[in-house]
Amino acid sequence: MKKLYFFIPFFFLCAFIATAQDNQSVLTFDEIMSGEDYIGKSPSKPFWAKDSKTIYFYWNKDNKAYASLYKVDIKSKKYTLVTPEEEKQLPSARGNWNKDQSKKVYIKDNNLYVYDFKKGVQKQITNTLERKSNVKFQDDHSKISFKQGNNIFIWDESTGITHQVTNIVNGSTPREHSSTPQKEFLEEQQKELFEIVRLREERKNEKSAHQELVTNKSKEKIYLNSQYVADIVVSNDANYVVYSLGTRAGNYATEMPVWVEGTGYVKMQNARPKVGSPEDTFKSFVYNVQKDTVYAIDLSKLSGINDTPKYFENYPERDSSLLNQKRKVVMHPPHFSPNKNYAVADVRAYDNKDRWLIQINLEDGSFTEIDRQHDDAWVGGPGISGWNFWIEPIGWINENTMWYQSEKTSFSHLYTYNVETKATKAITSGDFEIHKTEVSKDKKFFYLTSNKENSSEVHFYKVSINGGEMVKITQAVGHHTATLSPDEKFFADIYSYSNKPEELYIQANKPGAEWVKVTKSTTEAFDQYEWRVPEVVTFKAEDGQDVHARLYKPSPEKDQHKAVLFVHGAGYLQNVHNWWSVYYREYMFHNMLVDNGYTVLDIDYRASSGYGRDWRTGIYRHMGGKDLSDHVDGAKFLIKEHGINKDRIGIYGGSYGGFITLMAMFNEGETFKAGAAIRSVTDWAHYNHPYTSNILNTPALDPDAFKKSSPIYFAEGLKGDLLILHGMVDDNVQFQDVVRLSQRLIELKKENWNMAIYPIEPHGFRETTSWIDEYKRIFNLFQEKL
């Protein structure tokens, strides 16, 4: 086969148009690869008016350059377009309520506003250019706090005065003047011998004393000393401020060339660092406002902070000085309880093998541990965060009871903790996951989003604040994202099904209530095709585990007994479900493949989300292990159960899916005869730190994990026909990945591979022409080789 080298942007142009044989409509690449221009744009971001009578939502109904704001009346269920004038006067969907929810404070156009719902009046508090954040009402609800620059400020509604709570400034702490016996002798001698020296010092002291009497004392300066404010929050009573200061590790960014740019020159652009690069470090403090005093929070006392990671056991020859070292940690901003101002914070280890929940003593910066979650692989799961710097929610039910999520039972579930009694209680349990948690206004219930029904459905539930039966409120099979009305009598529901994109529905907040569709987003062209509902199936993996997959089958008369396996990206993502896929282009492409006689299998392999901790961490220290063997077992399932010819199986996917495709083509050539690897990681030592270090640790500390997980080390095993596709301005999986792999294949004298490169495309392609070209090539590969 003729080989085209990596620097050639395109090989043959395929003019093929796939048709739906004997079907009413015809699918073309121009249509399905134009994405939402062909499908239609779905509504998003619903929010309620304070009176619970109107829902607002964004919708690009007419395929403009932007989404417009619409509103729907809860009684008529009819929507209308919101005028720009009305939109300007609306309170922000985000913000913070006062106690009786009569007022809401929010940031709009970079300034603070308060909306009085009793008067229907919006009041602007600030009119400055500096960025503001962290706005909220204080406990007495007549004061509003916010962050501006590096400091906390409070605006007093009764006086209209804004005062500064902290005084964090750039620069270094001034050095104290050192004194020596020699210096002291000379100073005393001057005062003893000269009256003018004595007189000047007396007048200076007298002036300073007077100035102190007539001047308000300013806050002591807190000098940054070359650090930066990472986060800063104020307690609800405004008596304490908790903040963290970061020290920069340095600039370890990579550089990426932008090839096609308006100037005609190649532009160099900074991109993310590589895994193992040094990270910024942080220290946390409590500032006592009344005492004008700072206390350090000493996190070195956390339990297990000196524990050596278990994977070190694989390197017995390692220098013993690396064992039992104090691990680096980072503390997220604390959450303050109402009234009593208990402060609870989430602390994460840099290696992400531990998560601690701590209660901070605001009087002195000491703390007590509430919970420690340890995982020899990495801490993660819904409501927990898969990386140590991502913040997931912790909330308060009342002044002494908080809620949080944990994978301590191998599935992410909801727990409560009483800071006074020290009692922890599991609210939910079972082989399912809680995705989202919300506390009812009356504090008697939790509203939950969960896949309790089965892994392929996500519903809206209600459960007592003390636990018990989870009551399912939504009914239709698919995915529900509910937004409750302020009075909690109704909810807006963004719903989708396997072959139906997201639409807006309204339902009363009770099981079995009428469920009314508000929007219709799909285009006439999209509606003309009879889109398949893929069957959700399971098959056995080599280790006995059940693997979930979506199966697309042609009719018996069209079946050509050939198959394509699709590998979803991200690793930790779910694509086997009964709702509209984020891979909607691929979904439409799979319909096209089935029209042409292919069977398609889309697998939630090891590492996919939705199946609990053990599935999530099934690839720890070996990407391309169980996740790859799951696809081999999927191919065996198709051969045994669906009559697929073992010599006519291909595989493709993007990002993580491209990585698995490469590993399949290099290691399982007897199973997969052709593969298309899109935007693929070829060497994990060159990917980013947050994602990679969770799974493989770092190249310096765990080189074995990187070598057995990186396709570039297995390129010699290529047997079938490989197509590599990559954007040249991909700042996520950088173009360098496939350039290095190309050189490796050249040196190995491999000829059964081709490459298509896309000069203006990042990780997620933006231009329809690129999508069209890419998928024509993939289709043509399978048509020729299978």
Side-chain angles (χ1 to χ4, degrees):
M1 179 177 181
K2 185 179 179 182
K3 173 180 174 181
L4 298 180
Y5 294 96
F6 74 90
F7 50 81
I8 299 176
F10 303 102
F11 59 64
F12 64 90
L13 284 177
C14 172
F16 179 87
I17 296 178
T19 63
Q21 300 164 6
D22 302 322
N23 206 336
Q24 287 184 337
S25 58
V26 175
L27 290 179
T28 69
F29 284 103
D30 284 13
E31 287 176 330
I32 66 176
M33 290 302 146
S34 63
E36 290 184 327
D37 289 343
Y38 169 63
I39 300 166
K41 307 288 178 67
S42 292
S44 64
K45 302 176 185 176
F47 62 97
W48 287 83
K50 174 64 171 61
D51 61 8
S52 298
K53 295 179 181 179
T54 305
I55 302 170
Y56 295 91
F57 62 97
Y58 288 93
W59 191 18
N60 191 354
K61 180 176 179 289
D62 301 315
N63 200 18
K64 297 180 180 178
Y66 59 90
S68 299
L69 185 65
Y70 289 80
K71 62 182 178 181
V72 55
D73 176 73
I74 195 70
K75 289 184 178 180
S76 69
K77 310 296 190 297
K78 303 297 182 182
Y79 63 81
T80 56
L81 181 66
V82 176
T83 65
E85 292 73 22
E86 182 182 354
E87 186 173 354
K88 284 180 184 178
Q89 297 305 314
L90 285 176
S92 172
R94 299 180 179 181
N96 187 275
W97 295 94
N98 64 352
K99 189 173 184 179
D100 65 3
Q101 294 202 340
S102 62
K103 294 179 180 179
K104 188 177 187 181
V105 61
Y106 48 91
I107 295 171
K108 192 174 183 179
D109 301 326
N110 208 32
N111 278 295
L112 266 59
Y113 289 81
V114 172
Y115 196 95
D116 189 322
F117 286 90
K118 290 181 179 179
K119 298 178 181 178
V121 175
Q122 176 178 262
K123 180 178 181 178
Q124 185 172 350
I125 296 174
T126 64
N127 188 16
T128 60
L129 297 176
E130 195 166 5
R131 183 179 177 272
K132 301 161 192 70
S133 61
N134 297 4
V135 59
K136 68 175 182 177
F137 282 98
Q138 296 302 119
D139 268 346
D140 62 7
H141 300 284
S142 65
K143 297 182 178 67
I144 293 169
S145 64
F146 60 97
K147 176 181 179 284
Q148 180 173 294
N150 289 328
N151 288 287
I152 295 292
F153 295 81
I154 290 182
W155 175 77
D156 190 327
E157 185 179 20
S158 61
T159 64
I161 294 175
T162 299
H163 74 272
Q164 187 169 334
V165 178
T166 56
N167 192 17
I168 300 175
V169 298
N170 291 314
S172 301
T173 305
R175 294 182 180 178
E176 294 184 4
H177 294 292
S178 58
S179 181
T180 64
Q182 170 71 6
K183 185 176 180 182
E184 290 175 1
F185 171 81
L186 293 176
E187 290 175 352
E188 289 301 320
Q189 184 190 50
Q190 291 296 93
K191 287 189 281 187
E192 179 183 350
L193 293 176
F194 303 108
E195 182 178 0
I196 187 63
V197 173
R198 295 195 301 274
L199 180 62
R200 286 176 177 173
E201 183 168 352
E202 289 170 2
R203 292 177 67 85
K204 177 183 177 183
N205 291 338
E206 182 181 357
K207 183 178 180 181
S208 295
H210 173 74
Q211 197 71 24
E212 191 171 335
L213 289 173
V214 300
T215 306
N216 291 327
K217 184 181 178 182
S218 62
K219 301 279 184 185
E220 285 290 331
K221 293 180 179 178
I222 301 172
Y223 290 93
L224 285 174
N225 294 307
S226 300
Q227 300 173 101
Y228 62 92
V229 177
D231 54 66
I232 183 169
V233 290
V234 61
S235 62
N236 296 325
D237 60 8
N239 287 328
Y240 302 94
V241 174
V242 180
Y243 63 96
S244 294
L245 300 182
T247 300
R248 300 193 189 280
N251 182 14
Y252 292 88
T254 53
E255 284 191 318
M256 181 190 74
V258 179
W259 299 94
V260 180
E261 213 249 347
T263 65
Y265 291 88
V266 174
K267 173 185 174 183
M268 298 306 295
Q269 177 178 303
N270 281 345
R272 49 112 184 119
K274 299 189 180 194
V275 58
S277 298
E279 297 180 278
D280 293 2
T281 54
F282 302 89
K283 293 181 179 179
S284 298
F285 304 87
V286 175
Y287 172 63
N288 187 312
V289 176
Q290 302 301 322
K291 295 181 180 179
D292 199 13
T293 304
V294 173
Y295 304 98
I297 301 174
D298 183 7
L299 297 174
S300 67
K301 299 176 182 178
L302 289 164
S303 63
I305 197 170
N306 293 326
D307 290 356
T308 299
K310 188 175 178 59
Y311 73 87
F312 272 46
E313 295 174 1
N314 295 278
Y315 302 94
E317 74 287 352
R318 178 157 284 163
D319 186 347
S320 60
S321 66
L322 295 174
L323 306 178
N324 304 118
Q325 285 192 338
K326 199 174 297 296
R327 288 178 292 155
K328 295 177 182 178
V329 296
V330 59
M331 187 183 88
H332 295 166
H335 303 261
F336 298 100
S337 70
N339 304 322
K340 293 187 178 180
N341 281 288
Y342 291 120
V344 171
D346 188 338
V347 181
R348 303 296 289 266
Y350 272 45
D351 63 13
N352 211 9
K353 300 186 189 307
D354 281 281
R355 176 203 190 197
W356 299 266
L357 295 178
I358 64 170
Q359 181 182 340
I360 304 168
N361 182 345
L362 297 173
E363 291 291 337
D364 59 12
S366 62
F367 65 86
T368 55
E369 284 187 29
I370 293 172
D371 185 57
R372 178 191 175 193
Q373 298 165 45
H374 174 79
D375 197 312
D376 285 336
W378 74 95
V379 173
I384 299 165
S385 160
W387 184 46
N388 43 31
F389 289 98
W390 292 340
I391 301 174
E392 289 290 349
I394 295 172
W396 289 93
I397 301 168
N398 51 45
E399 59 192 17
N400 52 34
T401 305
M402 56 165 285
W403 63 264
Y404 66 96
Q405 288 182 230
S406 169
E407 267 190 339
K408 62 180 71 178
T409 63
S410 293
F411 287 86
S412 181
H413 280 291
L414 177 63
Y415 298 83
T416 60
Y417 175 80
N418 188 301
V419 297
E420 294 182 353
T421 66
K422 314 300 181 188
T424 299
K425 184 172 185 176
I427 303 301
T428 61
S429 62
D431 292 351
F432 60 91
E433 296 181 325
I434 303 300
H435 293 174
K436 182 183 176 184
T437 301
E438 185 177 351
V439 179
S440 66
K441 284 178 64 178
D442 61 11
K443 313 299 182 185
K444 294 181 179 180
F445 299 95
F446 285 109
Y447 288 106
L448 306 174
T449 303
S450 173
N451 64 353
K452 181 178 184 296
E453 193 78 3
N454 60 66
S455 62
S456 300
E457 300 177 35
V458 172
H459 286 279
F460 188 51
Y461 295 84
K462 182 179 182 179
V463 67
S464 166
I465 211 80
N466 296 311
E469 181 187 0
M470 288 174 60
V471 178
K472 188 174 72 165
I473 300 173
T474 52
Q475 300 301 318
V477 173
H479 190 289
H480 299 263
T481 302
T483 304
L484 278 166
S485 60
D487 63 9
E488 297 182 357
K489 293 181 179 179
F490 291 86
F491 61 89
D493 186 10
I494 297 291
Y495 166 81
S496 71
Y497 185 58
S498 303
N499 62 349
K500 298 175 182 178
E502 291 180 330
E503 300 288 1
L504 176 64
Y505 292 74
I506 299 174
Q507 180 180 327
N509 185 16
K510 55 186 178 182
E514 184 184 17
W515 186 55
V516 180
K517 184 178 180 181
V518 176
T519 61
K520 196 274 183 186
S521 303
T522 53
T523 65
E524 183 179 345
F526 178 84
D527 292 340
Q528 286 179 355
Y529 184 84
E530 189 174 340
W531 298 101
R532 294 169 176 84
V533 175
E535 180 186 1
V536 175
V537 299
T538 60
F539 60 86
K540 288 292 182 183
E542 63 180 5
D543 60 358
Q545 293 292 315
D546 286 327
V547 182
H548 294 251
R550 297 215 294 185
L551 179 66
Y552 300 74
K553 284 275 293 182
S555 60
E557 61 272 15
K558 293 181 183 178
D559 194 345
Q560 296 188 24
H561 306 287
K562 56 185 179 180
V564 170
L565 274 67
F566 170 65
V567 191
H568 69 68
Y572 189 61
L573 179 146
Q574 184 178 1
N575 204 43
V576 177
H577 48 61
N578 289 316
W579 62 84
W580 188 245
S581 175
V582 294
Y583 291 100
Y584 47 81
R585 285 186 178 88
E586 289 78 0
Y587 166 76
M588 294 187 289
F589 180 56
H590 296 162
N591 275 267
M592 177 185 284
L593 287 174
V594 174
D595 287 340
N596 285 273
Y598 291 83
T599 295
V600 179
L601 192 67
D602 172 1
I603 299 173
D604 269 350
Y605 50 87
R606 234 63 68 99
S608 299
S609 63
Y611 306 94
R613 180 266 170 199
D614 293 345
W615 202 262
R616 174 178 66 80
T617 61
I619 57 169
Y620 179 58
R621 299 193 67 241
H622 191 187
M623 294 165 157
K626 290 180 179 178
D627 46 358
L628 175 57
S629 65
D630 286 343
H631 287 88
V632 174
D633 293 330
K636 292 177 181 177
F637 163 73
L638 293 178
I639 295 167
K640 181 180 179 181
E641 302 294 335
H642 295 279
I644 298 302
N645 185 327
K646 68 178 181 63
D647 295 319
R648 304 184 75 187
I649 300 176
I651 187 169
Y652 90 103
S655 196
Y656 198 97
F659 151 72
I660 287 292
T661 298
L662 291 176
M663 290 295 268
M665 297 303 294
F666 295 162
N667 293 287
E668 300 291 345
E670 296 301 318
T671 301
F672 301 104
K673 305 307 177 184
I678 310 166
R679 50 188 179 276
S680 316
V681 175
T682 68
D683 186 345
W684 288 106
H686 293 262
Y687 194 51
N688 71 25
H689 186 82
Y691 182 89
T692 316
S693 63
N694 273 349
I695 305 170
L696 301 180
N697 304 305
T698 63
L701 293 177
D702 201 356
D704 291 353
F706 281 81
K707 287 182 180 178
K708 65 186 178 184
S709 299
S710 297
I712 199 166
Y713 288 99
F714 301 95
E716 191 167 358
L718 177 62
K719 294 179 181 178
D721 291 278
L722 173 64
L723 171 61
I724 300 170
L725 310 104
H726 213 100
M728 294 182 72
V729 288
D730 189 335
D731 57 359
N732 182 14
V733 180
Q734 295 175 356
F735 185 55
Q736 181 193 23
D737 261 61
V738 292
V739 172
R740 294 176 72 247
L741 178 61
S742 298
Q743 182 59 30
R744 179 73 178 143
L745 290 168
I746 291 168
E747 292 181 7
L748 290 169
K749 299 180 181 178
K750 296 291 182 179
E751 297 184 356
N752 49 333
W753 63 281
N754 284 291
M755 180 179 289
I757 60 175
Y758 299 86
I760 64 170
E761 294 296 355
H763 194 62
F765 281 16
R766 294 174 180 169
E767 301 302 324
T768 298
T769 51
S770 299
W771 281 104
I772 293 170
D773 181 90
E774 181 178 51
Y775 274 80
K776 278 184 177 180
R777 295 174 189 275
I778 295 169
F779 183 86
N780 208 59
L781 171 74
F782 293 145
Q783 286 289 86
E784 285 188 357
K785 305 302 178 183
L786 301 182

